Amino acid sequence: MGIGQVLGFAGATVVLVGMPGPNNLYISLRSLTQGRRAGVVSALAIETGTLVYIVVTALGLAALVKASPALFTAITVTGALYLAYLGIKTLRASSAELNGIAPAPLGRVFRDGVVVNLLNPKAALFFLAFLPQFTTRGAGPDQLRTEMLLLGVGAMLIGLVLDLSYAVGADAIGRRFRSVRTTGRARNLVVAAIYLGLSAFALITAL
């Protein structure tokens, strides 16, 4: 890879990863409703999911998904259903959760973030369609695997910086949001609406 390829990859990655999508919205949602710590944990969870994609891509398993549109659609639909589940679960939260007494534990925040990224069609397309464009044409299997790993790690680092920026920015807005005397039901309706909106987005992408 030449320096031009690397710079082109970095610039394009900043644009693609920085665009609002399920990952960014999940991080922002957690920061808005639970504060910066939850937002940072969400960012780390998202990039943990990215790490899984890097390993899968380097092992060549991503080619299997790319070769099977039905498999890719199944993954996307599963992700949409999971987001819908989170939205419905939020709507049916207990009275203690509605009053903000029992925010989601950070362990669950992390777990949900990993799953959201793994089942995010935008992330899947990034590794299936975008990343291979910056590898060396005609490279052997070992070189190709190495380049995919390096590009993947670069994308993960760029993504982490952008994700943390979303977390910090959303927390700054969330402080005012959380200071306003809104009912737990109103807050949960907002959270549920975002989850269900992400679910609808994922389903539209799959169809």
Side-chain angles (χ1 to χ4, degrees), residues 164-202:
L164 291 175
S165 298
Y166 270 95
V168 173
D171 174 61
I173 298 173
R175 289 178 186 177
R176 175 171 294 185
F177 173 77
R178 293 190 298 272
S179 67
V180 177
R181 287 185 173 276
T182 56
T183 65
R185 173 59 64 184
R187 288 196 301 270
N188 276 33
L189 284 174
V190 172
V191 173
I194 293 175
Y195 275 134
L196 294 174
L198 291 176
S199 175
F201 171 82

Coordinates of all heavy atoms in Angstrom, one line a residue, residues 164-202:
L164 N -15.8 8.2 20.7 CA -15.6 8.9 22.0 C -16.1 10.4 21.8 O -16.6 10.9 22.8 CB -14.2 8.8 22.4 CG -13.7 7.5 22.8 CD1 -12.2 7.5 23.1 CD2 -14.4 7.0 24.1
S165 N -15.9 10.9 20.6 CA -16.4 12.3 20.4 C -17.9 12.4 20.5 O -18.5 13.3 21.1 CB -15.9 12.8 19.0 OG -14.5 12.8 18.9
Y166 N -18.6 11.4 19.9 CA -20.0 11.3 20.1 C -20.4 11.2 21.5 O -21.4 11.8 22.0 CB -20.6 10.1 19.3 CG -20.9 10.4 17.8 CD1 -20.0 10.2 16.8 CD2 -22.2 10.9 17.5 CE1 -20.4 10.5 15.5 CE2 -22.5 11.2 16.2 CZ -21.6 11.0 15.2 OH -22.0 11.2 13.9
A167 N -19.7 10.3 22.3 CA -20.0 10.1 23.7 C -19.9 11.4 24.5 O -20.8 11.7 25.3 CB -19.1 9.0 24.3
V168 N -18.8 12.1 24.3 CA -18.6 13.3 25.1 C -19.6 14.4 24.7 O -20.1 15.1 25.5 CB -17.1 13.8 24.9 CG1 -16.9 15.2 25.5 CG2 -16.1 12.8 25.4
G169 N -19.8 14.5 23.4 CA -20.7 15.6 22.9 C -22.2 15.3 23.3 O -22.9 16.2 23.8
A170 N -22.6 14.0 23.3 CA -23.9 13.7 23.7 C -24.1 13.9 25.2 O -25.2 14.3 25.7 CB -24.3 12.3 23.3
D171 N -23.0 13.6 26.0 CA -23.1 13.8 27.4 C -23.3 15.3 27.7 O -24.1 15.6 28.7 CB -21.8 13.3 28.1 CG -21.8 13.6 29.6 OD1 -22.7 13.1 30.3 OD2 -20.9 14.3 30.0
A172 N -22.6 16.2 27.0 CA -22.8 17.6 27.2 C -24.2 18.0 27.0 O -24.8 18.8 27.8 CB -21.8 18.4 26.3
I173 N -24.8 17.5 26.0 CA -26.2 17.8 25.7 C -27.1 17.1 26.7 O -28.1 17.7 27.2 CB -26.6 17.3 24.3 CG1 -25.8 18.1 23.2 CG2 -28.1 17.5 24.0 CD1 -26.0 17.6 21.8
G174 N -26.8 15.9 27.1 CA -27.6 15.1 28.0 C -27.6 15.7 29.4 O -28.6 15.5 30.1
R175 N -26.6 16.4 29.8 CA -26.6 17.1 31.2 C -27.8 18.0 31.3 O -28.5 18.0 32.3 CB -25.3 17.8 31.4 CG -24.1 16.9 31.6 CD -22.9 17.7 31.8 NE -21.7 16.8 31.9 CZ -20.4 17.3 32.0 NH1 -20.2 18.6 32.1 NH2 -19.5 16.4 32.0
R176 N -28.0 18.8 30.2 CA -29.2 19.7 30.3 C -30.5 18.8 30.2 O -31.5 19.1 30.8 CB -29.1 20.6 29.1 CG -30.4 21.5 29.0 CD -30.1 22.6 27.9 NE -29.1 23.6 28.4 CZ -28.8 24.7 27.7 NH1 -29.4 25.0 26.6 NH2 -27.8 25.5 28.1
F177 N -30.5 17.8 29.3 CA -31.6 16.9 29.2 C -32.0 16.3 30.5 O -33.2 16.2 30.9 CB -31.3 15.9 28.1 CG -32.4 14.8 27.9 CD1 -33.6 15.1 27.2 CD2 -32.2 13.6 28.4 CE1 -34.5 14.1 27.1 CE2 -33.2 12.6 28.3 CZ -34.3 12.9 27.6
R178 N -31.0 15.8 31.2 CA -31.2 15.1 32.4 C -31.6 16.0 33.6 O -32.2 15.6 34.6 CB -30.0 14.2 32.8 CG -29.7 13.1 31.9 CD -28.7 12.2 32.5 NE -27.4 12.8 32.6 CZ -26.5 12.9 31.7 NH1 -26.7 12.4 30.5 NH2 -25.3 13.5 31.9
S179 N -31.2 17.3 33.4 CA -31.5 18.3 34.5 C -33.0 18.7 34.4 O -33.5 19.2 35.4 CB -30.6 19.5 34.4 OG -30.9 20.2 33.2
V180 N -33.6 18.6 33.3 CA -35.0 18.9 33.1 C -35.9 17.9 33.8 O -35.6 16.7 33.7 CB -35.4 19.1 31.6 CG1 -36.8 19.4 31.4 CG2 -34.5 20.1 30.9
R181 N -36.9 18.3 34.5 CA -37.7 17.4 35.2 C -38.7 16.7 34.2 O -39.9 17.1 34.1 CB -38.5 18.2 36.3 CG -37.7 18.6 37.5 CD -38.5 19.2 38.6 NE -37.7 19.4 39.8 CZ -37.5 18.6 40.7 NH1 -37.9 17.3 40.6 NH2 -36.7 18.9 41.7
T182 N -38.2 15.7 33.6 CA -39.1 14.9 32.7 C -39.4 13.6 33.4 O -38.6 13.1 34.2 CB -38.4 14.6 31.4 OG1 -37.1 14.0 31.6 CG2 -38.2 15.9 30.6
T183 N -40.5 13.1 33.1 CA -40.9 11.8 33.8 C -40.1 10.7 33.2 O -39.6 10.7 32.1 CB -42.4 11.5 33.6 OG1 -42.7 11.3 32.2 CG2 -43.2 12.7 34.1
G184 N -40.0 9.6 34.0 CA -39.3 8.4 33.5 C -40.0 7.9 32.2 O -39.4 7.4 31.3
R185 N -41.4 7.9 32.2 CA -42.1 7.4 31.0 C -41.7 8.2 29.8 O -41.5 7.7 28.7 CB -43.6 7.6 31.3 CG -44.5 7.2 30.1 CD -44.2 5.8 29.6 NE -44.6 4.8 30.5 CZ -44.4 3.5 30.3 NH1 -43.8 3.1 29.2 NH2 -44.8 2.6 31.3
A186 N -41.6 9.6 29.9 CA -41.2 10.4 28.7 C -39.8 10.0 28.3 O -39.6 9.9 27.1 CB -41.3 11.9 29.1
R187 N -38.9 9.9 29.2 CA -37.5 9.5 28.8 C -37.5 8.2 28.1 O -36.8 8.0 27.1 CB -36.6 9.5 30.0 CG -36.3 10.9 30.6 CD -35.1 10.8 31.6 NE -35.3 9.9 32.7 CZ -35.9 10.2 33.8 NH1 -36.3 11.5 34.0 NH2 -36.0 9.3 34.8
N188 N -38.2 7.2 28.6 CA -38.2 5.9 28.0 C -38.9 5.9 26.7 O -38.5 5.1 25.8 CB -38.9 4.9 29.0 CG -37.9 4.4 30.0 OD1 -37.0 5.1 30.4 ND2 -38.1 3.1 30.4
L189 N -39.9 6.7 26.5 CA -40.5 6.8 25.1 C -39.5 7.3 24.1 O -39.5 6.8 23.0 CB -41.7 7.7 25.2 CG -43.0 7.2 25.9 CD1 -44.0 8.3 26.0 CD2 -43.5 6.0 25.1
V190 N -38.7 8.3 24.5 CA -37.6 8.8 23.6 C -36.6 7.7 23.3 O -36.3 7.5 22.1 CB -36.9 10.0 24.2 CG1 -35.7 10.4 23.3 CG2 -37.9 11.2 24.4
V191 N -36.2 7.0 24.3 CA -35.2 5.9 24.1 C -35.8 4.8 23.2 O -35.2 4.3 22.3 CB -34.8 5.3 25.4 CG1 -33.9 4.1 25.2 CG2 -34.0 6.3 26.3
A192 N -37.0 4.4 23.5 CA -37.7 3.3 22.7 C -37.9 3.8 21.3 O -37.7 3.0 20.4 CB -39.0 3.0 23.4
A193 N -38.2 5.0 21.1 CA -38.4 5.5 19.7 C -37.1 5.4 18.9 O -37.2 5.1 17.7 CB -38.9 7.0 19.7
I194 N -36.0 5.7 19.5 CA -34.7 5.7 18.8 C -34.4 4.2 18.5 O -34.0 3.9 17.3 CB -33.6 6.3 19.7 CG1 -33.8 7.8 19.8 CG2 -32.2 6.0 19.1 CD1 -32.9 8.5 20.7
Y195 N -34.6 3.3 19.4 CA -34.3 1.9 19.2 C -35.2 1.4 18.0 O -34.7 0.7 17.1 CB -34.6 1.0 20.4 CG -33.4 1.0 21.4 CD1 -33.6 1.2 22.7 CD2 -32.2 0.7 20.9 CE1 -32.6 1.1 23.6 CE2 -31.1 0.6 21.8 CZ -31.3 0.8 23.2 OH -30.3 0.7 24.0
L196 N -36.5 1.7 18.1 CA -37.4 1.2 17.0 C -37.1 1.9 15.7 O -37.3 1.2 14.6 CB -38.9 1.5 17.5 CG -39.3 0.7 18.7 CD1 -40.7 1.2 19.1 CD2 -39.3 -0.8 18.4
G197 N -36.7 3.1 15.7 CA -36.3 3.8 14.5 C -35.1 3.1 13.9 O -35.0 2.9 12.6
L198 N -34.1 2.7 14.7 CA -32.9 2.0 14.2 C -33.3 0.7 13.6 O -32.8 0.2 12.6 CB -31.9 1.8 15.3 CG -31.2 3.1 15.8 CD1 -30.3 2.7 17.0 CD2 -30.4 3.7 14.7
S199 N -34.3 0.0 14.3 CA -34.7 -1.3 13.8 C -35.4 -1.1 12.4 O -35.1 -1.9 11.5 CB -35.8 -1.9 14.8 OG -36.3 -3.0 14.2
A200 N -36.2 -0.1 12.2 CA -36.8 0.2 10.9 C -35.8 0.5 9.9 O -35.8 0.0 8.7 CB -37.8 1.3 11.0
F201 N -34.7 1.2 10.2 CA -33.6 1.6 9.3 C -32.9 0.3 8.8 O -32.6 0.1 7.6 CB -32.7 2.5 10.0 CG -31.4 2.8 9.2 CD1 -31.4 3.7 8.2 CD2 -30.2 2.1 9.5 CE1 -30.2 3.9 7.4 CE2 -29.1 2.3 8.8 CZ -29.1 3.2 7.7
A202 N -32.7 -0.6 9.8 CA -32.0 -1.8 9.4 C -32.8 -2.7 8.5 O -32.3 -3.3 7.5 CB -31.6 -2.6 10.7

